[in-house]
Each structure stands twice: as structure tokens, then as C-alpha cells.
């Protein structure tokens, strides 16, 4: 680091678990770019001062994680249409004294899905489990990319209903329905779907039970978990047992990070280097 080093970072609270610094710094090193990406623990009550500080200290931008993704929107001078639609910001670009809020989570997920399946989601049917921040990003991007039907199930039904309402009110065109959070309904939903996505936090704890059993899953299913640690959740193990294709959250993490990298630097990052850095950190 020297006087010319450019600064980037991630704000969240807590932030110790974040793997983004590892991934971005590996990319900068591989490209011999004079950048440094640091983790910043920012308490919610200090967010305004932290954002001001990053701006005046000359940061190029920063990522935003839990619990700031929604509240930070109020501090942006401009929001991209994606961030507006999703209702959350995960990447801030600092252009002189202007803050631009982006959201790369949805495109990151779709990028990973395309890379791993080799096909687009246009015309496909999706069962989405969850209606939190990550589920919202994924749902809007799936709809923008032309899925035919989107079935949403969430433990708190009002949150799923809210997401479905937002999707129907937006300009995206796909059929959206809400399913009850109950085994029989999830079974029917899975039978009517090509892709099943877990966007809940169930599975982060290795002791968590699988959300769907292997008897519900079929070999034609593509089963995705947004969770990247552990890399093989109970749901993905069930899917593997059923002969379905499985996709962990690692690809999404890499691709959303790669999109942020491009926003800040204008350069395409070495995605393989980023993936390998994460892989090393995550593998037991
Ligand atoms: N791979 C990536 O790059 C990436 C990016 C972002 C997030 N993620 C992962 O995605 C997951 C969700 O993150 P988020 O930001 O969307 O969090 P969030 O906004 O807090 O949403 C959490 C979701 O999990 C559900 N949930 C929590 N505990 C549950 C339980 N015991 N039973 C059933 N449902 C439960 C919540 O349902 P209620 O609404 O009923 O509470 C909600 O739908 C996390 O595991 C996170 O690590 C991965």
C-alpha cells in the first residue's frame, strides 16, 4: 500500500464472517492492480457517519451487507433501476461526491446458474423458498430473465405475499403465486417446477434439517442453495441423493462480487482466481 493505493471495502454488522475481502484482494493481486479491499464493522446507528467518511477518505466504492442493505438506499444520490426494483443496495459506487446504489445479487445468482447449467431460465418454472433480501433480488432477476412461473413459499406468509405483490405491480411479466409453508404444498410446488431455490437461511447450521426430502426431489430438478457455507447443505445432499443437479451459493457470491468489481474498476476480474480463493476458505 502506498499513497496511490485505491480503497474499497464492505460495511456490515457484524462483518467478521465476510469472505469478500479475500475474494477481491485475490483478484487485485492477480491483475497487479493497486487496490485494497477492507472489511468495516459499522453499527447501524453510525451508518450515516461511516458513509460520509468513506466518501471523504476517497474510497472508490464499497459493498453493503446485513443489516444495512435497505437503509442505505436513503443515502444514495441515484439508484439503478435494479436496486430500485429489488428495494436493496449491495454495491455503492462513489463518483466524486455522488453515491450510486447498485444491486448485483440477482444478476450474480443468474450468472452462476447460467454458468453451471449452460442454459437460460427463459420459459422455466421456479419454486423459490424464502422472501428475505436475497430472495427478492433473485425473484426480480428471474422475472426479468423471463421465467414462466414463480412459486414463492416463505415461513411468514405476509412477507411472501408482499414480494408477490411487488412483482405483480412491477413491469415484469411472469405468473407469480404464493404457496403455504407446508410439506404438502411444497411437494406440489416442486412437482410443478424445473428449478428449486433455497433463499432462506435454513441450512447455514449443519444441524439444520433439509427443507425438502429426497422423495419430493426428482432427477430433472436443478436445486440451488444460496448458502455457500457449508458448501453442501442438507437440501443439496437430498437433491444429490435424488439424482438432481445441485448448485451451491458459491457461484452467486463470486458473480455478484465480479459485477461489483467491474462497476468500481471498469475491468473484468479473474473469476477463477476469486472462486479458488473462496474455495480454499470454505472447504472443510
Ligand atoms: N451466495 C450469496 O452470494 C448470497 C448472497 C446473499 C444471501 N445469501 C444467503 O441467503 C440466505 C438469506 O439471506 P437474506 O439476506 O435474504 O436474509 P434475510 O433477509 O434475513 O431473510 C432470511 C430468510 O430466511 C427465512 N428463515 C429464517 N429462519 C427460518 C426458519 N427457521 N425456517 C424457515 N425460514 C426461515 C426467513 O423467513 P421469514 O421471513 O419467515 O423470517 C427469510 O425468508 C442466507 O443464508 C445468506 O447467507 C447468499
Amino acid at each position: 500500500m502506498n499513497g496511490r493505493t485505491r480503497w474499497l471495502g464492505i460495511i456490515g454488522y457484524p462483518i467478521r464472517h465476510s469472505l469478500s475481502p479475500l475474494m477481491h484482494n485475490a483478484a487485485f493481486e492477480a491483475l497487479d492492480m493497486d487496490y485494497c479491499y477492507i472489511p468495516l464493522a459499522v453499527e447501524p446507528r453510525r451508518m450515516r457517519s461511516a458513509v460520509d467518511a468513506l466518501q471523504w477518505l476517497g474510497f472508490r466504492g464499497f459493498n453493503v451487507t446485513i443489516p444495512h442493505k435497505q437503509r442505505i438506499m436513503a443515502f444514495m444520490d441515484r439508484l439503478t433501476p435494479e436496486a430500485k426494483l429489488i428495494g436493496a443496495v449491495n454495491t455503492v459506487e462513489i463518483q466524486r461526491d455522488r453515491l450510486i446504489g447498485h444491486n448485483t445479487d440477482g444478476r450474480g445468482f443468474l450468472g452462476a446458474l447460467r454458468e453451471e447449467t449452460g442454459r437460460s431460465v427463459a420459459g422455466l418454472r421456479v419454486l423459490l423458498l424464502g422472501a428475505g433480501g436475497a430472495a427478492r433480488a433473485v425473484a426480480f432477476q428471474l422475472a426479468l430473465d423471463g421465467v414462466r412461473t414463480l412459486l414463492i413459499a416463505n415461513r411468514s406468509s405476509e412477507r411472501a405475499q408482499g414480494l408477490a405483490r411487488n412483482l405483480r405491480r412491477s413491469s415484469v411479466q411472469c405468473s407469480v403465486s404464493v404457496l403455504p409453508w407446508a410439506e404438502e404444498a411444497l411437494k406440489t410446488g416442486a412437482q410443478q417446477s424445473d428449478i428449486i431455490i433455497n433463499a432462506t437461511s435454513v441450512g447455514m447450521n449443519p444441524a439444520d434439517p433439509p427443507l425438502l426430502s429426497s422423495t419430493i426431489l426428482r432427477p430433472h430438478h436443478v436445486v440451488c442453495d444460496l448458502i455457500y457455507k457449508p458448501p453442501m447443505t442438507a437440501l443439496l445432499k437430498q437433491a444429490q441423493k435424488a439424482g438432481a443437479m445441485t448448485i451451491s451459493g458459491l457461484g452467486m457470491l463470486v458473480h455478484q462480487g465480479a459485477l461489483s468489481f467491474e462497476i468500481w474498476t471498469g475491468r473484468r476480474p479473474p473469476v477463477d482466481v476469486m472462486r479458488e480463493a473462496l474455495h480454499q476458505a470454505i472447504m472443510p
Side-chain angles (χ1 to χ4, degrees), residues 65-66 69-70 105 129-136 153-157 159-160 181 198-202 204 208 211 225-228 248-254 256:
T65 188
I66 293 170
K69 283 184 176 185
Q70 273 103 35
D105 279 338
L129 307 173
R136 286 186 66 85
N154 191 53
R155 181 180 59 176
S156 339
S157 161
R159 217 169 170 193
W181 187 255
N198 175 32
T200 75
S201 42
V202 180
M204 286 179 89
D208 286 343
L211 283 172
D225 208 318
L226 265 50
I227 294 169
Y228 48 84
S248 90
L250 188 85
M252 174 179 174
L253 185 62
V254 171
Q256 62 78 30

